[in-house]
Structure formats: structure tokens, C-alpha cells
Amino acid sequence: MSARERLIPRQPEVNIGTAGHVDHGKTTLVEAITGIWTSAHSEELKRGITIRVGYADAAFYKCPNCPSPDRYSPYPRCPNCGSETTLLRVVSFVDCPGHESLMANMLSGAAVMDGAILVIAANEQVPQPQTREHLLALEMLGMRHIVIVQNKVELIDDQKALESYHAIKRFTAGTVAENAAIIPISAQNRINIDAVIEAIETHIPTPKRETQAPPFMQILRSFDVNKPGIKVQDLKGGVVGGTLLRGELKVGDDIEIRPGLIEEKAKPLFTKIKSLGTSAGLVDSVRPGGLIAIGTSLDPVLTKSDSLLGCVVGHPNTLPPILDSLTMYVQLFETAVGSPELVKVEKIRSGEVLRLNIGTAVTLGNVSASKENAVEVNLRRPVCADKGAKVAISRRIGDRWRLIGAGTIT
Ligand code: GDP
Ligand code: MG
Ligand code: ZN
């Protein structure tokens, strides 16, 4: 095996998200660590931005002979001294879009993150609007493990780098990222990537998983893997991809997908697991961590073009209820932070339309009642969620949806 070969020896065990303003270098950093450019769809290549949540995995290794942080690398042989390294963890990166119009996609990605890297460009004023909005989103979803990277440091002198560092400290004071490590890097020039890996190993633990619980997977994408013109007898069933949050799934399991097809009413789909894929290849069973692809016996027409994004997967009749309406306990922010100017958040009014992110699902809702902190909403698209589930609430301000607060389904 060549020294720079990147093998994924087993299923990833932890999901690390990227967050931060557009163009600050999230996708470049993921590429520097994993060797994979996650923005591969034609529309993304054309516009030069990440649109859909992307996944790329890496195995982290430690050299027994080199000092920190040089000893950390994604290679089974040390790039500094050539020694054989020890496998630490297999990690999955969930690369999120940073453009303000793609906040809903970022929130879907945030629903499956166990830790996050907040990428902040050192050559711009801190904070930029989505730097603020993403940190607020992570905080409200309960994210506790954050590493900050100060990117593009090769573009500025030491004095400016120090100013940017102090601006980051002021901006994060009082937030969940207050004591986060701040690693200066150049993602493009691959400088200090070993220190980022060390910070991830130190500050983003693998969460304790409930492997005995009934399986619960959030769908982030779904596809038809067949090429156009294929013969009917060669057709492969529909594929759904996402992250298992708890439990285990095995080839041969019966599964239910909720809410499933949305016609007049939600129609859950029942099928069987025909195959299971992870970045380590085809497997017989999967645990939480990384992107899992489930090959089903569903008609691929039902799964094409991300039609099942936002649905959840589990064993039949074990999933949370399908909700057409919900009541939530709401805490609003003082200001909406997604634009350069901070806008005061007014109370939620009966009759207004909100955008709600619940897990990886996103739907619009009409507010039917709003009293104190209790808000009742009729959903345009049903969602599958339990009491206690977190809701990210956005409102149209000017010409954009802005995050205005957090809800909990009651
Ligand atoms: P994202 O929107 O946060 O995912 O940002 P990208 O990774 O797509 O990077 C945006 C632009 O910044 C691209 O043109 C990158 O080549 C550039 N970039 C990323 N990292 C660095 C860096 O360390 N230094 C410099 N000078 N440019 C960088
Ligand atoms: Mg990107
Ligand atoms: Zn070494």
C-alpha cells in the first residue's frame, strides 16, 4: 500500500459537521483532511458553492515516533517519518452549505452532527452573517463539541491574524464555543491540518450510542441508482441514504419509512433491507455513524431525486407519530442574525407562515394560535417526530428566511 493511500477500514463512528460563512473554506478543509471534494454535483460545480449536504470520510492515525501535532494524519504510514501508524478513529464529515439562501440544508445537516468545525476566514471581519447564524443554530440544537479553525492565514500578516483571533474570542464569548480551540490553518495549502485532526481527537468525542434501542435513521438523500434505458429485469430497488442515530440495522430487516409518500395524506412505505453500504463498503449490519445507504425493494421511482429527504427509517410500527399539526414551546432570539444588519425578532402571530426544520425534515407551517410561548402550527408537509423533538424556526424577513428561534414539540 502506498503511504498516501486512504483506506476506510471500517464504518465511521462519529459525524463531524462543517459550519461557517460561504467561501470561508469548509469544503476545502474537508478535502484537505479526506481527499474528497464533496461538492460534486453539476449545479454545485457551476456555481462553485456547496448546495446539498455532502459526506466524506477519513481514518485518523497516530505515529508512535513523531511529536504532536505532526503525529496525526489520515494515513496508515506516517508522512513525516514513514513509521507504521496506529488507527485512532474513523470519522465522517458532514459538509454543509454556507450560503444564506441554503440555511435549511445546513440545518438538515446539523441534525446528524455529533460535533462541528466552525470555519472562519481570517482575512475578513468577524463575524460574517452566516458565521453567527450557524453558531446560533448549532447552539440551539444542543451541539456541545465545537472546534474553530481560522482559515486562509497565509493571506494575512501576524498582526492581522492576532486581530482576527481576538475578534473570534469576542464573538464567541458567552456562547457554547467560548472555550473552543482555535486552530490557525491554510486549508488550501494544507498547513496545520495535523493540528485540526488533533483538535478533533481531543475535543470531539464519539457519543455513547444506544445500540439496543429500536433503530432510528434520518434520511438526507434518496436516489434511483439505475441508468436510463436499463431493462426492467435488471432494475435495482430504490436507495435511501442518511445517518442512523440509534440502534442497529441488518440486511433482511423489515423497515418502515415515515411519513413516506405525501399525496392527499402521508403514506408510510414498508420494505426490506436488501443491501447496506457504508464508506467501508457493503456490510451485513450498521451502527450509528457516517452515511449509510440502504438498498430496498422499493420501486426506484419512489426514491429518486431526494424525494424521501426528511423521512425517518426504523422497524415497522416503532417510529414516532406522523404529525399534520403540532404545538411547540418556543424561545425566540432577541435578534435575527443572518443578515449584515441585526433585526429585532417580533412575537409569533397567528396567521403567519413559518419555516420549520425538524430533524432532516423541512416544512412550512401556518400558525393557528400563538399564546405566550406556546405556538400551534398546521404543517404543509407532515413530519414524523416525537414529543420533545427540537424545532428550528425561521421567518421570512425581507427576501430571506432567517432563523428566529428554537421550539420543542409538546
Ligand atoms: P466553503 O463555501 O466554506 O465551502 O468554501 P470553499 O472550500 O468552497 O472555498 C472557497 C474559496 O476559498 C475557494 O476558492 C478556495 O480555493 C478558497 N480557499 C479555501 N481555503 C483557502 C485558504 O486556506 N487560503 C486561501 N487563500 N484560499 C482558500
Ligand atoms: Mg462548501
Ligand atoms: Zn512519524
Side-chain angles (χ1 to χ4, degrees), residues 62-67 70-73 77-85:
K62 188 169 161 178
C63 171
N65 301 317
C66 286
D70 307 23
R71 55 163 63 164
Y72 292 94
S73 81
R77 226 165 244 298
C78 178
N80 303 307
C81 73
S83 309
E84 204 168 302
T85 53

Side-chain angles (χ1 to χ4, degrees), residues 274-347:
K274 287 175 65 185
S275 60
L276 281 172
T278 72
S279 55
L282 287 175
V283 290
D284 294 330
S285 67
V286 288
R287 312 168 269 98
L291 176 72
I292 288 152
I294 302 181
T296 70
S297 40
L298 290 172
D299 183 337
V301 166
L302 299 177
T303 59
K304 77 171 189 211
S305 317
D306 287 333
S307 57
L308 296 178
L309 187 149
C311 291
V312 299
V313 182
H315 289 151
N317 308 313
T318 62
L319 291 168
I322 298 173
L323 309 174
D324 294 303
S325 65
L326 56 83
T327 306
M328 55 187 179
Y329 170 80
V330 166
Q331 283 173 296
L332 295 179
F333 305 143
E334 271 171 29
T335 51
V337 302
S339 51
E341 62 292 340
L342 304 185
V343 184
K344 184 170 182 297
V345 174
E346 307 288 344
K347 280 212 183 96

Side-chain angles (χ1 to χ4, degrees), residues 21-29 37 48 50 95 151-155 185-189:
H21 201 72
V22 67
D23 271 354
H24 281 203
K26 297 177 290 299
T27 303
T28 307
L29 173 61
W37 185 256
T50 308
D95 187 30
N151 191 27
K152 310 197 185 187
V153 289
E154 90 287 359
L155 293 177
I185 68 163
S186 171
Q188 196 170 53
N189 298 299

